[in-house]
């Protein structure tokens, strides 16, 4: 007998990378510039333990700009995955946008559907994992992160690490919509999500 397929959809917490999981350094162009925040692993572990998917969504236009290759990006992501695993934390997937609308060689220079705040990465994840995006949450340090969540009817948390504090203090009056929550950092954001999420439908 085949095991029955789960019928309910799962929920995901989408996590921005730079400035949210790891220190914002502009562009991570060498492995030693990649430094996870000390609360990163615990945050991801809490997501794992709560049964949500932990999915990284990151804009990496440094590829289009010729600052690093997709192979190097894969190396950074392997390092990130390994460092998190050492502390018992697991990412379910990583999606990235390597594009830029104006710079780069043909394959990377394009008006894509995945450059934040466009929600292409969320749609790909929804297809891959059978997600209802209105039940998902994006956590990130920039307007473009929570605008991406709002574009698909999802929830959002702005963290004040990375660019978060500056954007919040300087730009919030011009934002068409505010994020659902503003948190000190990823750990506080995850706790807020897990405490405030309604019980899963179905
Ligand atoms: Mg960021
Ligand atoms: Zn893209």
């Amino acid at each position: 007998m085949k095991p029955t397929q789960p019928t309910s959809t799962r929920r995901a917490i989408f996590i921005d990378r730079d400035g949210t999981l790891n220190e914002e350094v502009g562009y991570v162009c060498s492995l030693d510039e990649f430094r996870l925040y000390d609360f990163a692993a615990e945050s991801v572990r809490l997501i794992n333990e709560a049964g949500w998917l932990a999915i990284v969504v990151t804009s990496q236009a440094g590829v289009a700009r010729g600052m690093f290759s997709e192979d190097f990006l894969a190396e950074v992501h392997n390092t990130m995955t390994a460092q998190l695993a050492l502390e018992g934390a697991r990412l379910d997937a990583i999606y990235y946008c390597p594009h830029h609308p104006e710079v780069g060689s043909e394959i990377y220079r394009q008006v894509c559907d995945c450059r934040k705040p466009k929600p292409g990465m969320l749609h790909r994840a929804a297809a891959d994992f059978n997600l209802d995006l209105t039940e998902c949450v994006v956590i990130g340090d920039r307007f473009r992160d929570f605008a991406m969540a709002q574009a698909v009817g999802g929830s959002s948390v702005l963290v004040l690490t990375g660019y978060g504090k500056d954007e919040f203090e300087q730009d919030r009056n011009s934002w068409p919509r505010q994020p659902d929550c503003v948190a000190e950092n990823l750990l506080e954001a995850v706790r807020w999500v897990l405490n405030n999420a309604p019980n899963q439908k179905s």
Side-chain angles (χ1 to χ4, degrees):
M1 250 175 90
K2 280 186 178 174
T4 24
Q5 293 291 318
T7 50
S8 66
T9 55
R10 295 186 70 186
R11 291 188 288 190
I13 294 181
F14 292 100
I15 312 166
D16 169 55
R17 199 192 84 179
D18 300 336
T20 302
L21 262 179
N22 57 281
E23 288 177 32
E24 173 59 59
V25 296
Y27 292 90
V28 173
C29 295
S30 68
L31 280 181
D32 60 354
E33 288 175 315
F34 182 85
R35 290 180 294 272
L36 282 173
Y37 286 126
D38 59 8
F39 48 77
E42 184 182 357
S43 307
V44 173
R45 211 165 52 223
L46 283 179
I47 299 171
N48 299 153
E49 287 165 357
W52 293 55
L53 296 165
I55 299 176
V56 168
V57 285
T58 177
S59 285
Q60 292 297 331
V63 174
R65 293 177 183 280
M67 301 171 78
F68 47 83
S69 66
E70 287 194 75
D71 285 346
F72 171 74
L73 196 55
E75 221 178 303
V76 172
H77 290 163
N78 287 338
T79 300
M80 171 169 71
T81 304
Q83 289 178 359
L84 289 170
L86 280 177
E87 296 185 67
R90 184 194 74 250
L91 296 173
D92 294 285
I94 301 169
Y95 296 89
Y96 63 87
C97 166
H99 308 114
H100 191 284
E102 282 130 37
V103 299
S105 58
E106 295 159 38
I107 50 166
Y108 298 123
R109 189 181 61 234
Q110 54 166 286
V111 179
C112 62
D113 68 357
C114 50
R115 183 172 166 86
K116 298 174 184 178
K118 289 186 183 170
M121 290 188 282
L122 303 186
H123 286 306
R124 280 169 57 200
D128 291 346
F129 291 97
N130 186 29
L131 302 174
D132 175 352
L133 291 174
T134 66
E135 294 200 2
C136 295
V137 186
V138 175
I139 301 174
D141 68 320
R142 306 196 76 167
F143 167 78
R144 59 178 73 149
D145 294 303
F146 65 82
M148 174 176 69
Q150 291 167 349
V152 297
S155 304
S156 56
V157 184
L158 176 76
V159 291
L160 296 178
T161 51
Y163 289 107
K165 193 165 186 292
D166 284 351
E167 288 207 3
F168 184 66
E169 286 176 355
Q170 292 162 23
D171 303 340
R172 68 178 140 159
N173 292 330
S174 64
W175 290 338
R177 265 181 71 191
Q178 302 296 312
D180 295 301
C181 172
V182 177
E184 208 54 50
N185 58 41
L186 178 63
L187 183 56
E188 203 184 276
V190 169
R191 288 188 174 134
W192 181 86
V193 172
L194 298 179
N195 284 329
N196 288 277
N199 287 330
Q200 182 143 22
K201 294 182 225 155
S202 75

